[in-house]
């Protein structure tokens, strides 16, 4: 979806933004920063690496109402290409104004104008906003007059970006296209909702993610009273397996494959209305959304005796007959019976 091979860093400003609720001070630079070639290479890797495989896409909320600060600032710059330093200062002040939660950390803010960014098949410009919050202690060993001395300093770990956003100059009438990274989840509304004010673009990735989230919730809320834990895990594995084996989604086909019982299909059809999916009958499946869903699914059966069974099914079609649940009348306890060929180390 996105390619940085030919990207150019046109302009960059560095500011410091504090926590407004603690009355921390800001520092807004009055000049643009011009990095050397070696520093620019390191910055580009730090800023952009987290976005290379990102598929989740947003757009600014309510652009037609002229009330979205970040949309207006982006639109203003992209239309004139002037006053980037002023735009970067206004972006940083807006970020400060949203820093109201006591847990929000102060940080260094880099506002960057990029060009020659390939988005799909279109070469676009972008504004990048990157916030560095965490500082790590690192050690230097220096040779001073033939003696090795240790020096400890605090600095930014270039291996992980705290927060970042790329505001792409494409689809302006629809609120542009926005890609966001947030690796510090102390306040989930601060970055996406308060600062950016964005909503998901309802594309294939969104529909794939939404359907898998819906099925997960359906399993926990509707099927849990009717099924044991192994059957619930099996139902979710069958659902994910459908998405993994098909390029396009069709609800009737999907429902019939994972829930052949008519009453379960009817419950699933009604339940999806709560996720605003009643009008989404077919779409192209996004593989990246499947991988995200797999990481969220819990395949463990935790028992009250301290035993935990991990249902790590690689082939759901072959797994349905290897686990049985029953009740032992003599012991007055439930049990799981597991079939296998050999023990693994």
């Amino acid at each position: 979806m996105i390619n940085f091979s030919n990207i150019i860093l046109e302009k960059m400003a560095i500011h410091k933004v504090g926590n407004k609720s603690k009355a921390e001070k800001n520092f807004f630079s009055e000049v643009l920063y011009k990095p050397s070639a070696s520093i620019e290479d390191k910055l580009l890797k730090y800023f952009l690496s987290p976005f290379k495989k990102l598929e989740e896409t947003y757009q600014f909320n309510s652009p037609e109402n002229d009330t979205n600060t970040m949309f207006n600032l982006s639109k203003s710059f992209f239309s004139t290409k002037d006053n980037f330093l002023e735009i970067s200062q206004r972006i940083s002040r807006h970020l400060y104004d949203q820093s109201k939660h006591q847990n929000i950390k102060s940080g260094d803010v880099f506002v960057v104008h990029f060009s020659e960014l390939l988005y799909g098949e279109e070469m676009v410009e972008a504004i990048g906003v990157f916030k560095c919050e965490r500082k790590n202690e690192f050690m230097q060993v220096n040779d001073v007059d033939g003696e090795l001395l240790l020096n400890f300093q605090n600095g930014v770990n270039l291996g992980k970006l705290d927060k970042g956003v790329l505001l792409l100059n494409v689809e302006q009438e629809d609120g542009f296209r926005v890609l966001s990274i947030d690796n510090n989840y102390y306040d989930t509304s601060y970055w996406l909702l308060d600062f950016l004010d964005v909503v998901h673009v309802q594309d294939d990735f969104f529909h794939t993610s939404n359907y898998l989230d819906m099925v997960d919730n359906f399993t926990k809320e509707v099927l849990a009273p009717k099924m044991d834990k192994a059957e619930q895990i099996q139902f979710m594995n069958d659902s994910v397996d459908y998405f993994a084996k098909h390029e396009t989604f069709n609800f009737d086909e999907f429902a019939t494959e994972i829930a052949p019982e008519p009453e379960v299909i009817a419950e699933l059809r009604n339940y999806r209305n709560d996720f605003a999916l009643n009008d989404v009958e077919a779409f192209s499946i996004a593989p990246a959304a499947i991988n995200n869903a797999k990481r969220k699914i819990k395949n463990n059966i935790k028992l009250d005796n301290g035993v935990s069974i991990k249902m790590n099914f690689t082939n759901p079609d072959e797994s349905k007959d290897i686990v049985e649940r029953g009740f032992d009348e003599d012991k007055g306890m439930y049990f799981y019976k597991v079939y296998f060929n050999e023990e693994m180390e």
Side-chain angles (χ1 to χ4, degrees):
M1 175 181 287
I2 192 164
N3 188 305
F4 303 117
S5 299
N6 299 311
I7 198 167
I8 298 174
L9 192 158
E10 299 282 359
K11 303 181 185 72
M12 181 169 72
I14 307 175
H15 309 291
K16 285 185 176 292
V17 174
N19 184 306
K20 188 173 185 177
S21 69
K22 299 177 183 178
E24 293 177 343
K25 293 183 178 180
N26 302 312
F27 179 88
F28 300 123
S29 297
E30 295 297 333
V31 294
L32 295 175
Y33 177 75
K34 297 181 179 179
S36 64
S38 60
I39 291 178
E40 181 176 326
D41 288 342
K42 290 183 173 61
L43 287 175
L44 287 176
K45 183 178 180 180
Y46 174 57
F47 293 152
L48 303 177
S49 293
F51 293 91
K52 287 184 177 179
K53 295 183 179 180
L54 195 66
E55 301 246 1
E56 194 169 16
T57 309
Y58 298 91
Q59 63 195 73
F60 286 117
N61 190 29
S62 305
E64 70 280 357
N65 296 333
D66 202 35
T67 57
N68 190 306
T69 300
M70 287 301 291
F71 171 79
N72 291 331
L73 290 173
S74 302
K75 181 180 177 181
S76 174
F77 175 72
F78 287 138
S79 63
T80 65
K81 306 295 190 304
D82 293 330
N83 302 321
F84 180 75
L85 179 62
E86 179 187 348
I87 292 290
S88 73
Q89 294 170 341
R90 292 172 65 183
I91 287 174
S92 299
R93 288 192 180 95
H94 175 61
L95 181 61
Y96 176 72
D97 287 338
Q98 311 314 311
S99 305
K100 301 172 184 176
H101 193 284
Q102 61 180 0
N103 291 335
I104 293 175
K105 299 175 179 61
S106 60
D108 304 318
V109 177
F110 301 80
V111 185
V112 187
H113 172 213
F114 297 110
S115 65
E116 301 300 309
L117 185 156
L118 186 62
Y119 181 69
E121 298 181 356
E122 187 174 356
M123 199 68 77
V124 302
E125 293 182 288
I127 296 173
V129 184
F130 312 97
K131 186 182 179 189
C132 308
E133 298 175 333
R134 291 172 295 187
K135 299 293 178 66
N136 301 107
E137 188 174 41
F138 62 92
M139 179 178 68
Q140 287 183 319
V141 180
N142 299 314
D143 182 356
V144 180
D145 296 330
E147 181 180 1
L148 295 179
L149 301 177
L150 299 182
N151 181 34
F152 292 89
Q153 295 182 351
N154 286 324
V156 175
N157 180 0
L158 296 182
K160 191 171 185 179
L161 179 66
D162 289 315
K163 287 178 168 58
V165 61
L166 289 175
L167 316 173
L168 309 180
N169 186 19
V170 63
E171 303 286 351
Q172 177 181 312
E173 297 77 10
D174 197 31
F176 291 114
R177 288 296 175 262
V178 179
L179 304 178
S180 175
I181 295 289
D182 186 357
N183 286 315
N184 291 349
Y185 297 102
Y186 46 73
D187 183 355
T188 55
S189 66
Y190 158 61
W191 186 254
L192 280 178
L193 301 183
D194 299 337
F195 172 53
L196 296 174
D197 190 11
V198 292
V199 295
H200 281 98
V201 174
Q202 297 196 18
D203 53 11
D204 293 333
F205 183 93
F206 174 80
H207 292 317
T208 303
S209 299
N210 221 12
Y211 255 102
L212 286 167
D213 285 343
M214 181 273 292
V215 175
D216 189 29
N217 281 274
F218 176 78
T219 305
K220 295 172 182 175
E221 297 179 4
V222 179
L223 297 184
K226 309 173 187 179
M227 293 181 173
D228 60 49
K229 191 67 175 178
E231 291 172 322
Q232 295 172 46
I233 292 174
Q234 184 64 62
F235 185 85
M236 273 307 302
N237 275 276
D238 287 343
S239 301
V240 174
D241 192 55
Y242 171 90
F243 280 85
K245 290 182 176 180
H246 293 76
E247 293 183 357
T248 59
F249 175 89
N250 177 279
F251 178 78
D252 290 333
E253 179 186 69
F254 168 72
T256 302
E257 281 197 23
I258 68 166
E261 302 84 359
E263 63 274 13
V264 177
I265 294 177
E267 289 176 318
L268 183 63
R269 188 180 296 279
N270 290 330
Y271 188 84
R272 66 178 181 157
N273 294 342
D274 296 336
F275 284 73
L277 291 170
N278 49 308
D279 294 328
V280 184
E281 295 283 342
F283 53 86
S284 296
I285 293 172
I290 303 173
N291 295 331
N292 288 348
K294 286 180 178 179
R295 287 192 287 267
K296 296 179 183 177
I297 295 174
K298 295 181 179 180
N299 285 352
N300 280 6
I301 301 175
K302 293 184 179 180
L303 307 179
D304 57 5
N305 58 5
V307 174
S308 179
I309 304 174
K310 186 175 182 180
M311 310 278 284
N312 189 19
F313 294 148
T314 56
N315 189 341
D317 291 336
E318 298 177 356
S319 63
K320 297 179 181 179
D321 298 323
I322 66 173
V323 178
E324 293 181 9
R325 186 178 189 267
F327 185 80
D328 189 300
E329 296 287 351
D330 295 334
K331 293 180 178 288
M333 299 173 68
Y334 293 97
F335 66 85
Y336 277 104
K337 182 187 291 185
V338 182
Y339 296 91
F340 65 96
N341 292 314
E342 59 181 311
E343 296 180 352
M344 306 295 289
E345 293 185 2

